[in-house]
Amino acid sequence: MKVPSAKKRVVLLGATGSIGENTLRVLAAHRDRLELVGIAAHSKWEKLAAIARQFDVRHVGVFDNQAYAAARADAAAFPAGTHLVGGLAGLVELAQLPEADTVLVAVVGTTGLDPALAALAAGKDLALASKEILVLAGKFVMAAARKHGAKLLPVDSEHNAVFQCLEGHPQAGVRRIVLTASGGAFRDWPADRLAHVTPADALKHPNWSMGPKITVDSATLANKGLELIEAQCLFGLRPEQCTAVIHPQSIVHCLVEFNDGAMLAQLCPPSMTFPIQHALLHPERAPGVDSALDFTKLLGLEFRPVDEDRFPLLRLAKQTMVAGGVAPAVYNAANEVAVAAFLAGQIPFLAISRVVEQTLANVKNFEPTDLAAVLVTDDHARRVARTFLK
Ligand code: MG
């Protein structure tokens, strides 16, 4: 049972990453409305200790075993009386903290799946930034949210934007949604130049400052592919209703087209504080952390079609949506393996899509009836993907 409180009490999983840092800016600006009660990170425990001191947080989780041991050995770094937990079990415990109202899951990859399901089972509102969770197990996450009557608030900027545009509009009136893509680091690069891309090139994103995995995914447009799958699942759409367009300025985050051809769009500057604040304060609106758009200056908004020949990972993502079953999970697993190999200098940039395509062709698709089957497939797909790295 949630204890009624004037403030919303927030648990932040992934406190030291890029989403985490922006969430802390939102929390610091709205201390009268939001209270941080639990934090966790993969391994940066010293940073967690600093956050715990700054926000007076008493529940802290460290995922990595070695880092957890180091944190325990230096307990004086944390506020007196800090409850320190470790590993995945620790993250799950934080996701179910009795005093929490909202759990924001912003951990890299699919590590956040168990904590996300635990939060929903405990009836917490789930603010979800880790798109891989829905790509892997969307059917089961959505079912858990329905079963426990929990609110699922998308934090990914495009999905938060769709959520805002759809509010108050019956689903039957929606023709399609259009997610915008900046186009990533290689938006204007010709196909032959893409063969020689280095990890350093791929990590230069034109508009957003994010972690390395998602920045590479933006450069390959796999990020947009994952987002289309995420949107289909979050909003209960058919594959053909989920589309993408290149929009280099990253000001318009989505467009929703209704049956009559009218479109609603959501606009704000490219800072994650906007969707994070919307999700945490929903349905309240309060002054933002970053400045709004300034129309006293020239503001050009440009849209162009996506070139799926240069960026085959978007085409492959659409194919997995049509195929259904575990295909999106296989796509995600193979992409994670391939991106890690690219960042480690083991495979060239263009091999990322090849590894994903080959993995999809070599893992049998089926309709999973339980989460365990999806996790087994995820593991299998990673092993298959590794055989294509050579
Ligand atoms: Mg996004």
Side-chain angles (χ1 to χ4, degrees), residues 277-360:
Q277 174 166 322
H278 177 267
L280 290 183
L281 288 182
H282 184 266
E284 235 183 278
R285 300 276 188 176
V289 173
D290 291 302
S291 308
L293 293 173
D294 178 3
F295 289 111
T296 64
K297 294 174 194 146
L298 178 69
L299 177 64
L301 299 176
E302 188 187 342
F303 300 90
R304 30 175 141 140
V306 184
D307 179 354
E308 290 183 10
D309 292 331
R310 262 191 318 146
F311 300 102
L313 280 163
L314 190 72
R315 178 172 41 79
L316 287 170
K318 286 184 179 172
Q319 288 170 2
T320 71
M321 288 164 75
V322 174
V326 293
V330 172
Y331 173 93
N332 175 61
N335 181 58
E336 276 191 28
V337 168
V339 170
F342 166 69
L343 285 171
Q346 291 164 9
I347 59 170
F349 183 75
L350 291 179
I352 299 174
S353 61
R354 178 179 54 73
V355 170
V356 173
E357 189 158 18
Q358 286 172 324
T359 307
L360 279 166

